[in-house]
Amino acid sequence: SKKVIVITYIQFVKIIYIHLRKNFEMSAIKYIEYLNIIYLIFIKLRFLLKLIKKLEIQSIENIINFLNNQLVGRLATIDSNGYPQVIPMNFVYIQTNNHKNHSALLNQHSIYMHSYPYGEKIDNIKRNSKVGFEVDQHIAFLPSYYFHPTDASQADTLYISTVIKGESFIVENYEEKALALNALMEKYQKEGKYQRLDSKMCSVKEVTVIKII
């Protein structure tokens, strides 16, 4: 949850003025210059807050839709030296109640990915199951001149993103693997033209499926 404190410009100036008087000695001109910079930042933040509120994902349904409409997620694992390793991955989000026949196999909210059976990320997960997962969408670049005629530092970029911290597992159950792989195919190959995977298929047994909860 986020708390946003909204103050009027007069209150804002008052706070800055008191802070400056207490902590700095400066000329009236310097004070005015400093105040102008703070005012520009305030205007920018007010603009961004309005825009961010409009774009904010405010329900679990919208988060799910956002996740399953993005094609790439970034999986962060911890390597043997304690450094994060970040890899782009295909993924799918699955809810238990969307797959009632397999509800015993799934947690309420799960992210699934497929992988080769070997590699650094697999070793990392086996050693430390704690992972991060991030999905983002670029919305817009905000040019500096939206906020100031010459100050380049006012430029900014807006994103929509979802960040997950969770536990990762290598899925061993063949039915759950088939379910996850079919869900991935449904997401990425919407036109069909493939045979659905079955838990008894060799390809299902051989591929590695990673789950994040």
Side-chain angles (χ1 to χ4, degrees), residues 67-157:
L67 286 172
N68 279 336
N69 280 303
Q70 302 305 310
L71 299 180
V72 179
R74 293 164 185 83
L75 174 66
T77 59
I78 303 299
D79 71 14
S80 57
N81 295 313
Y83 290 100
Q85 182 195 35
V86 182
I87 300 175
M89 300 284 289
N90 289 343
F91 73 97
V92 67
Y93 169 94
I94 296 180
Q95 280 181 286
T96 300
N97 54 13
N98 286 346
H99 301 276
K100 293 180 181 178
N101 294 335
H102 301 273
S103 59
L105 302 173
L106 302 177
N107 291 83
Q108 183 64 35
H109 303 285
S110 301
I111 298 285
Y112 286 93
M113 294 158 279
H114 70 90
S115 168
Y116 289 112
Y118 308 102
E120 188 176 3
K121 70 176 176 294
I122 300 299
D123 294 339
N124 293 345
I125 287 170
K126 289 178 178 178
R127 184 174 51 253
N128 185 347
S129 65
K130 290 182 171 60
V131 298
F133 188 75
E134 189 269 352
V135 181
D136 61 73
Q137 179 183 346
H138 176 266
I139 299 299
F141 173 73
L142 302 177
S144 61
Y145 52 77
Y146 280 12
F147 310 102
H148 190 277
T150 58
D151 185 359
S153 69
Q154 298 301 311
D156 210 335
T157 304

Side-chain angles (χ1 to χ4, degrees), residues 185-186 188-195:
M185 289 300 295
E186 289 168 11
Y188 289 93
Q189 193 169 313
K190 291 182 170 60
E191 69 274 20
K193 300 182 181 180
Y194 63 88
Q195 180 183 1

Side-chain angles (χ1 to χ4, degrees), residues 56-65:
E56 185 180 358
I57 304 176
Q58 297 182 347
S59 70
I60 186 64
E61 291 80 11
N62 288 339
I63 291 173
I64 293 167
N65 289 335

Side-chain angles (χ1 to χ4, degrees), residues 2 6 32 35 47-48 60 77 152 173 179 182 190 206 209:
K2 289 190 260 182
V6 180
I32 292 169
L35 197 59
F47 172 80
L48 290 177
I60 186 64
T77 59
N173 184 285
L179 177 68
N182 281 320
K190 291 182 170 60
E206 291 169 0
V209 172

